[in-house]
């Protein structure tokens, strides 16, 4: 209506014209579909990776937590369970009762296992439902996981006898069970489970009494896993549940001294932070999405711009016949939609499978593992989101070309050759007389200048992939293995009992054995090491009267508990001094002590301004009796230095209390029952593998309840992380690189097709086919040179300004400027850009010069 007096409504004609234009542009269609497929693959891959990561992390968190359930009530009595079980807030609740935490069978030294009763819901939540056999019913029936059966030496076969020796309330019992079912041990589990029947628990109700608040004995305690009805804040509903049933917990302001106190928490699997709580992930996602949109835009826009330029005279003729600019735009958008309907489904399927294949690499770069299995559901949101973004990219890309086609006049269209500013701008490019003559390389350079916008788009699209490729290697090369390992291990090896490496050292019945230490010291690989001692909180904790420290656990006077260690010289000398100096003579005098400071992951000290070197701290020795403590002795020490102690080698691996260190000879007399925690040590250079082999053989054949850890464990996890960056980043670089090359091929091919008559005229006045191919190769070379210059400049700027800035937030990253990946790619880029135009020219050279001159 805006274009002519009365307007028109020739929808059927526009549809027919659109179909005909579509069919007449077969080469354009193929390249456009490829571009849409690649763009959709990028979106779908990213969405699949994100969805797969979320699903897998959630699944593994459930398994690590010991079972499903949004909230957990731990160490409660049957009375508490019955009070909350019928609350209308609850959709499902699982009941699990501990029978024995201490099994004394040979074979369970390095694989700790517990004996429980669980109802059907608990078995389902914990994923202990037997895959072979059935759940236990009679008093002597039992089910177990396969690794526990293997540790017990019992074949995984229905009907086998499982003889268990276990402790309940300090007394030892032995029962012969019949195996009625089993399941495969979860690879994420660090503990075994044996499940007895309800009949077994009822028959022993007299010994399975609830005494946990009195003696901390786990036998008879109940754990309840709760799934709430509907949606909403889980912690708020947990608080409502406890409030309505008359109970309180830590997060409600309750304390252990309250008569209605229960241990209740939201399961870690359902404690997902909002995306805005992780700004780095949010920014990365936004940048990644924008990068894909820009990459897809560059090629799709270029394809349609070139297609419209090819058909510009036809569009001008349509305008002359009365077609409105809106109808022409609709005609072009219809073609774009048709191409999308072909390309997007292919991209969705391909991208989903690529993303699913890459999820394991992504998992191994996190604190989770793909070895435990990945979970990638066919989430409709993956395909809906990918389709929406792909369509958005397509229609944004065709908007400008469609506008050009709709606004060009018939006269401008007829006289159009290939100078975009002359055809679509108000200013014509002035003809310039050449001062170089008809030299091929100058002609090639002039040809690129005829369509500067297209030239720039091609160069930018190829530059993006090179910059991303360089960034991938900058990131992977900057991860500092020494920083990474130093956080977890500052010695070559550490040995202890098996419970220590399962973060259960204070529940262990046996300390690290002296015989194991002596065997290690006698090995030819051994260089130096030292013992670490401590006391157990439930036996004889230590507290301090200094108000600079805090702990949830306090003595009867309200003084916070601390962790006090006795360390050999080897450990003390390995500690990094933050403030003050370590004077061995002063330490051994018994008047001085070392204070361990807390640090962030990057090593930044979290200083406590309320305590300084030179201050005096009073440390109390306590005797624990049931849930009460009594101060038996007090000692005053002067803080000699603040140090950084390694979490994995110089502690019990339990957190919460402030740590202090004394020389072994000073510490041991302070304790009634000191425990040998571990023995970190170094070996001679190049003998790590030999020592690891010795330790494995010793543990298997001599002391199966001992274990060890080495730097090699963390080297492997570090390698997984770097492979994550290279694999995923490299895959995205390759896809974007393919898009860039496709854009270049499309531009060159279209340029050759639209200039067929021009080439024929040049040949008719004496230019040879070889010279023509050389000219086209020079054009390709100029594309390469432009890409090399642009990528070098942008790559350097992006590396220094962006990557270096991001890397400051990664604690084990050491920024190193890298440019060699692009230098490696440049020769291949030059080869491609020089060879492709010459190869494409061969296709039109098959048509004679005369026939090409006759073509319009």
């Amino acid at each position: 209506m805006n274009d002519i007096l009365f307007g028109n409504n020739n929808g059927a004609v526009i549809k027919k014209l659109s179909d005909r234009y579509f069919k007449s542009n077969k080469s354009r269609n193929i390249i456009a579909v490829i571009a849409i497929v690649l763009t959709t693959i990028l979106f779908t891959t990213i969405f699949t990776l994100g969805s797969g990561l979320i699903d897998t992390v959630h699944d593994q968190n459930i398994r690590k937590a010991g079972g499903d359930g949004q909230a957990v009530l731990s160490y409660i009595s049957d009375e508490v369970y019955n009070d909350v079980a019928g609350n209308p807030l609850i959709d499902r609740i699982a009941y699990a009762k501990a029978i024995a935490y201490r099994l004394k069978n040979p074979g369970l030294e390095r694989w700790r296992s517990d004996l429980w009763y669980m109802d059907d819901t608990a078995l389902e939540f914990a994923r202990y439902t037997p895959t072979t056999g059935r759940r236990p019913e009679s008093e002597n029936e039992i089910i177990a996981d396969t690794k526990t059966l293997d540790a017990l030496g019992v074949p995984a076969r229905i009907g086998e006898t499982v003889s268990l020796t276990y402790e309940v309330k300090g007394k030892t019992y032995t029962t012969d069970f019949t195996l009625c079912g089993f399941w495969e041990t979860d690879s994420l589990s660090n503990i075994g489970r044996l499940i007895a029947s309800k009949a077994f628990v009822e028959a022993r109700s007299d010994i399975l009494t609830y005494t946990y608040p009195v003696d901390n004995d786990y036998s008879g305690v109940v754990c309840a896993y709760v799934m709430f009805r509907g949606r909403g804040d889980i912690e708020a509903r947990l608080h409502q549940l406890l409030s309505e049933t008359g109970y309180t917990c830590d997060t409600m302001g309750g304390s252990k001294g309250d008569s209605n106190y229960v241990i209740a928490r939201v399961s870690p699997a359902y404690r997902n932070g909002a995306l805005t709580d992780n700004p780095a992930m949010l920014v990365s996602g936004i940048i990644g999405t924008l990068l894909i949109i820009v990459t897809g835009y560059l090629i799709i826009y270029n394809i349609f711009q070139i297609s419209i330029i090819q058909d510009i005279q036809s569009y001008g003729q349509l305008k002359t016949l009365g077609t409105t600019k809106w109808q022409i735009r609709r005609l072009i958008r219809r073609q774009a939609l048709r191409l999308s309907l072909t390309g997007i489904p292919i991209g969705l399927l391909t991208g989903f499978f690529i993303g699913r294949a890459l999820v394991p690499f992504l998992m191994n770069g996190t604190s989770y593992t793909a070895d435990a299995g990945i979970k990638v559901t066919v989430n409709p949101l993956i395909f809906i989101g990918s389709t929406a973004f792909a369509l958005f990219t397509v229609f944004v890309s065709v908007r400008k070309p469609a506008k050009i086609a709709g606004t060009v006049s018939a006269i401008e269209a007829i006289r159009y050759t290939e100078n975009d500013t002359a055809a679509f701008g108000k200013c014509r490019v002035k003809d310039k007389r050449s001062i170089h003559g008809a030299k091929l390389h100058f002609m090639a350079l002039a040809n690129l200048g005829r369509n500067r916008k297209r030239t720039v788009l091609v160069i930018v699209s190829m530059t993006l992939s090179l910059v991303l490729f360089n960034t991938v290697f900058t990131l992977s090369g900057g991860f500092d293995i020494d920083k990474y390992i130093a956080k977890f291990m500052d010695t070559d090896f550490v040995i202890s009992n098996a419970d220590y490496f399962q973060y259960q050292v204070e529940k262990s019945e046996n300390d690290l054995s002296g015989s194991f230490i002596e065997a290690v010291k006698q090995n030819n690989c051994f260089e130096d090491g030292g013992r670490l001692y401590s006391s157990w909180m439930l036996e004889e904790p230590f507290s301090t009267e200094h108000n600079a420290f805090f702990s949830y656990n306090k003595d009867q006077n309200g003084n916070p508990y601390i962790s006090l260690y006795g360390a050999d010289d080897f450990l003390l000398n390995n500690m990094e001094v933050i403030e003050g100096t370590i004077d061995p003579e002063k330490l051994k005098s018994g008047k001085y002590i070392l204070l361990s400071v807390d640090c962030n992951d990057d090593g930044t000290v979290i200083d406590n301004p309320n305590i300084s070197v030179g201050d005096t701290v009073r440390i109390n020795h306590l005797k624990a009796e049931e849930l009460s403590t009594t101060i038996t002795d007090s000692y005053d020490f002067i803080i000699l230095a603040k140090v950084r102690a390694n979490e994995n080698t110089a502690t019990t691996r339990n957190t919460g209390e402030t740590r202090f260190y004394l020389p072994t000879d000073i510490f041991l007399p302070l304790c009634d029952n000191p425990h040998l925690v571990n023995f970190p040590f170094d070996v001679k250079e190049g003998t790590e593998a030999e020592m690891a082999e010795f330790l494995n053989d010793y543990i298997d054949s001599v002391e199966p309840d001992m274990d060890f850890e080495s730097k090699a464990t963390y080297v492997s996890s570090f390698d997984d992380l770097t492979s994550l960056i290279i694999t995923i980043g490299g895959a995205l670089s390759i896809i974007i690189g393919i898009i860039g090359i496709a854009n270049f091929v499309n531009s060159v091919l279209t340029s050759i097709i639209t200039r067929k008559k021009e080439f024929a005229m040049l040949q008719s006045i004496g230019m040879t086919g070889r010279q023509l191919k050389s000219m086209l190769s020079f054009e390709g070379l100029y594309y390469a040179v432009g890409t090399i210059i642009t990528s070098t400049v942008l790559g350097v700027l992006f590396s220094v300004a962006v990557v270096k800035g991001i890397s400051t937030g990664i604690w084990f990253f050491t920024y190193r400027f890298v440019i060699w990946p692009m230098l490696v790619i440049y020769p291949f880029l030059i080869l491609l850009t020089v060879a492709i135009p010459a190869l494409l020219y061969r296709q039109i050279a098959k048509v004679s010069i005369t026939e090409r001159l006759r073509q319009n």
Side-chain angles (χ1 to χ4, degrees):
M1 185 69 75
N2 295 328
D3 296 284
I4 59 175
L5 183 60
F6 299 106
N8 58 63
N9 186 23
N10 299 321
V13 175
I14 296 299
K15 180 180 177 182
K16 184 178 291 187
L17 281 172
S18 177
D19 292 342
R20 287 182 178 177
Y21 274 107
F22 184 86
K23 292 175 182 177
S24 66
N25 284 292
K26 292 181 180 179
S27 61
R28 187 280 311 266
N29 294 345
I30 293 172
I31 296 175
V33 167
I34 292 173
I36 293 171
V37 167
L38 291 172
T39 303
T40 309
I41 285 174
L42 285 172
F43 282 123
T44 312
T45 300
I46 294 297
F47 285 130
T48 304
L49 282 171
S51 176
L53 177 63
I54 292 170
D55 290 344
T56 306
V57 166
H58 180 67
D59 180 67
Q60 292 192 18
N61 277 336
I62 288 173
R63 292 153 62 189
K64 285 180 177 180
D68 206 349
Q70 295 168 328
V72 184
L73 279 63
S74 304
Y75 313 130
I76 62 174
S77 64
D78 282 295
E79 180 185 359
V80 174
Y81 175 84
N82 292 329
D83 286 342
V84 302
N87 192 281
L89 289 170
I90 297 175
D91 181 38
R92 300 181 71 190
I93 185 169
Y95 176 91
K97 173 172 278 192
I99 298 172
Y101 264 64
R102 294 180 177 178
L103 305 183
K104 299 181 177 297
N105 294 66
L108 297 181
E109 297 89 354
R110 294 179 69 184
W111 177 247
R112 192 168 66 87
S113 298
D114 300 335
L115 180 61
W116 287 73
Y117 160 71
M118 294 184 177
D119 65 9
D120 289 339
T121 304
L123 289 176
E124 179 188 337
F125 280 8
R127 305 184 187 187
Y128 293 161
T129 303
T131 53
T132 301
R134 56 174 175 79
R135 63 160 297 140
E137 295 175 357
S138 64
E139 185 178 336
N140 70 328
E141 288 183 331
I142 199 169
I143 59 176
D145 65 283
T146 53
K147 190 171 180 178
T148 298
L149 293 174
D150 184 60
L152 290 169
V154 177
R157 191 165 53 237
I158 302 299
E160 291 289 333
T161 299
V162 181
S163 182
L164 288 183
T165 301
Y166 52 95
E167 183 181 304
V168 177
K169 310 296 183 186
K171 293 185 179 180
T172 301
Y173 302 86
T174 299
T175 304
D176 290 336
F177 293 93
T178 300
L179 187 67
C180 66
F182 56 88
W183 67 94
E184 195 71 28
T185 308
D186 192 328
S187 60
L188 285 178
S189 177
N190 61 359
I191 191 171
R193 286 282 188 265
L194 296 115
I195 312 297
S197 64
K198 185 177 183 181
F200 177 88
V201 173
E202 290 176 343
R204 289 158 180 78
S205 59
D206 56 329
I207 63 172
L208 292 177
T209 54
Y210 180 71
T211 59
Y212 178 76
V214 178
D215 55 13
N216 285 285
D217 194 296
Y218 294 104
S219 297
V221 303
V222 173
C223 287
Y225 296 84
V226 177
M227 293 294 286
F228 292 103
R229 298 182 186 275
R231 297 175 179 269
D233 182 77
I234 296 173
E235 187 167 53
R237 284 187 287 174
L238 173 61
H239 290 174
Q240 183 182 349
L241 171 66
L242 295 177
S243 178
E244 290 179 0
T245 51
Y247 296 99
T248 186
C249 66
D250 287 330
T251 53
M252 295 174 66
S255 63
K256 292 180 180 179
D258 298 332
S259 59
N260 63 341
Y261 173 84
V262 295
I263 300 173
R265 60 183 173 84
V266 175
S267 171
Y270 290 89
R271 205 179 292 141
N272 297 326
L275 186 60
T276 52
D277 294 337
N278 192 336
M281 183 178 292
L282 179 62
V283 171
S284 298
I286 293 172
I287 292 174
T289 303
L290 290 175
L291 179 63
I292 297 169
I293 291 174
V294 170
T295 304
Y297 170 83
L298 289 174
I299 184 170
I300 297 170
Y301 168 83
N302 204 25
I303 289 167
F304 275 90
Q305 185 203 38
I306 293 169
S307 173
I308 285 162
I309 289 170
Q310 283 183 266
D311 299 329
I312 199 67
Q313 293 182 355
S314 298
Y315 293 126
Q317 291 169 359
L318 288 175
K319 288 293 292 293
T320 304
L321 295 173
T323 308
T324 67
K325 63 181 180 181
W326 305 112
Q327 288 172 330
I328 290 178
R329 292 183 187 182
R330 181 183 170 194
L331 183 151
I332 293 170
R333 286 197 295 267
R334 181 179 174 83
Q335 294 179 57
L337 179 61
R338 189 167 176 179
L339 291 168
S340 298
L341 292 176
T342 303
I344 289 177
I346 298 172
L348 291 175
L349 291 175
T350 308
F352 177 78
F353 288 111
I354 291 175
R356 194 182 189 286
L358 292 176
V359 167
F361 295 97
L362 183 63
M363 294 305 305
N364 286 334
T366 67
S367 58
Y368 298 86
T369 172
D371 294 336
I374 62 168
K375 188 174 183 179
V376 183
T377 57
V378 186
N379 190 338
L381 292 177
I382 294 174
F383 302 103
I384 294 171
S386 302
T387 301
F389 275 98
L391 284 173
F392 172 78
T393 304
V394 170
F395 282 103
V396 166
S397 303
V398 302
R399 181 178 175 274
K400 184 68 177 294
K403 184 178 180 181
I404 291 171
T407 55
V408 67
S409 68
I411 296 173
E412 287 176 328
I414 290 170
R415 70 184 177 210
Y416 174 76
T417 54
E418 204 198 4
N419 192 319
D420 55 337
T421 55
F424 308 122
K426 295 182 179 179
C427 300
R428 292 185 178 276
V429 176
K430 296 180 180 179
D431 293 332
K432 294 182 180 179
R433 188 178 297 275
S434 173
I435 60 173
H436 303 291
K439 294 181 179 179
L440 295 177
H441 55 285
F442 287 117
M443 291 176 65
L445 188 60
N447 286 334
L448 293 188
R450 294 163 67 179
N451 196 323
R452 295 185 185 90
K453 184 178 291 185
R454 185 176 67 195
T455 302
V456 170
L457 287 175
V458 173
I459 289 174
V460 169
S461 64
M462 290 194 292
T463 296
L464 278 176
S465 62
L466 288 172
V467 172
L468 178 60
F469 188 70
N470 194 72
T471 301
V472 168
F473 281 89
T474 301
L475 288 172
S476 62
F479 290 133
D480 193 325
I481 189 170
D482 293 328
K483 284 185 179 180
Y484 183 83
I485 292 175
K487 174 178 172 58
F488 300 103
M489 289 282 286
D490 59 349
T491 60
D492 293 333
F493 290 87
V494 58
I495 60 173
S496 186
N497 62 20
D499 289 323
Y500 172 81
F501 298 101
Q502 298 175 15
Y503 299 88
Q504 301 285 339
V505 63
E506 292 199 26
K507 294 181 181 179
S508 180
E509 296 182 359
N510 302 309
D511 293 344
L512 168 62
S513 69
S515 57
F516 191 15
I517 294 175
E518 290 306 314
V520 167
K521 294 173 73 173
Q522 295 300 318
N523 189 283
N524 292 330
C525 302
F526 177 80
E527 187 171 73
D528 196 9
R531 292 172 172 84
L532 179 72
Y533 292 89
S534 190
S535 64
W536 297 163
M537 185 180 295
L538 296 179
E539 293 178 352
E540 48 177 336
F542 287 88
S543 67
T544 179
E545 297 182 13
H546 203 291
N547 59 12
F549 307 108
F550 172 80
S551 173
Y552 286 106
N553 299 303
K554 298 178 175 64
D555 64 19
Q556 70 269 29
N557 296 328
N559 300 315
Y561 281 12
I562 62 165
S563 293
L564 186 62
Y565 293 96
D568 286 353
D569 290 344
F570 173 80
L571 279 162
L572 296 176
N573 294 336
N574 272 349
M575 294 180 184
E576 179 187 350
V577 178
I578 303 301
E579 182 183 340
T581 56
I582 298 180
D583 185 331
E585 296 302 321
K586 285 186 175 181
L587 268 180
K588 291 177 181 178
S589 70
K591 298 179 181 179
Y592 295 88
I593 199 169
L594 300 180
L595 169 63
S596 178
V597 297
D598 293 326
C599 300
N600 293 323
D601 284 334
D602 61 359
T604 304
V605 174
I606 305 174
D607 196 19
N608 187 340
N610 300 315
I611 191 76
S612 302
V613 171
D615 289 354
T616 299
V617 292
R618 171 162 290 185
I619 292 179
N620 303 315
H621 174 266
L622 311 173
K623 184 68 176 177
E625 296 177 354
E626 296 183 351
L627 294 184
S628 63
T629 56
T630 304
I631 297 176
T632 59
D633 291 292
S634 296
Y635 312 94
D636 290 332
F637 294 99
I638 300 171
I639 296 177
L640 182 62
K642 292 182 179 180
V643 298
R644 192 200 320 264
N646 189 279
E647 292 274 347
N648 279 8
T649 57
T651 73
T652 58
R653 299 193 174 186
N654 292 327
T655 59
E657 280 73 43
T658 304
R659 302 184 179 105
F660 290 89
Y661 289 87
L662 291 168
T664 299
D665 293 340
I666 304 298
F667 171 80
L668 291 178
L670 305 184
C671 294
D672 297 330
N673 186 27
H675 291 272
L676 179 53
V677 177
N678 64 21
F679 182 76
F681 64 94
D682 288 332
V683 296
K684 296 173 184 176
E685 189 173 352
T687 63
E688 291 84 0
E690 186 179 344
M691 176 58 80
E693 184 179 358
F694 164 76
L695 294 174
N696 277 316
D697 291 342
Y698 180 89
I699 290 168
D700 291 339
S701 59
V702 183
E703 295 190 78
D705 55 345
M706 299 293 124
D707 210 343
F708 77 96
E709 204 170 71
S710 69
K711 282 185 177 179
T713 306
Y714 297 100
V715 171
S716 176
S717 64
F718 180 85
D719 291 340
D720 287 338
L721 180 61
T722 53
S723 68
L724 159 74
I725 300 295
I726 293 175
T727 303
I728 295 181
L732 294 178
S733 298
I734 290 171
I735 293 174
I736 294 174
I738 291 172
I739 290 177
I741 295 298
N743 206 354
F744 169 73
V745 172
N746 176 56
S747 297
V748 173
L749 178 60
T750 308
S751 176
I752 292 173
I753 292 172
T754 55
R755 293 156 62 195
K756 283 191 295 185
K757 189 172 182 178
E758 177 186 322
F759 291 158
M761 291 174 64
L762 288 172
Q763 286 180 292
S764 68
I765 60 174
M767 179 179 278
T768 64
R770 185 173 182 178
Q771 288 175 321
L772 196 52
K773 285 193 289 185
S774 296
M775 185 184 72
L776 292 172
S777 294
F778 272 119
E779 291 182 19
L781 179 63
Y782 289 137
Y783 275 117
V785 171
T787 301
I788 289 171
I789 294 172
T790 307
S791 61
T792 301
V793 173
L794 290 181
V796 170
L797 291 176
F798 191 80
S799 178
V800 174
V802 179
V803 178
K804 187 176 182 180
I806 294 174
S807 65
T808 57
I810 305 175
W811 59 268
F812 56 96
F813 192 92
T814 300
Y815 175 77
R816 300 181 184 92
F817 176 74
V818 171
I819 200 171
W820 66 263
M822 289 196 296
L823 298 179
V824 171
I825 296 297
Y826 287 157
F828 296 98
L829 176 66
I830 292 171
L831 181 63
L832 282 174
T833 53
V834 170
I836 287 173
L839 292 174
L840 293 176
Y841 171 74
R842 288 185 180 181
Q843 298 301 314
I844 67 165
K846 294 176 181 178
V847 181
S848 68
I849 296 174
T850 305
E851 291 179 2
R852 279 183 275 158
L853 286 170
R854 289 175 180 170
Q855 293 177 352
N856 292 325

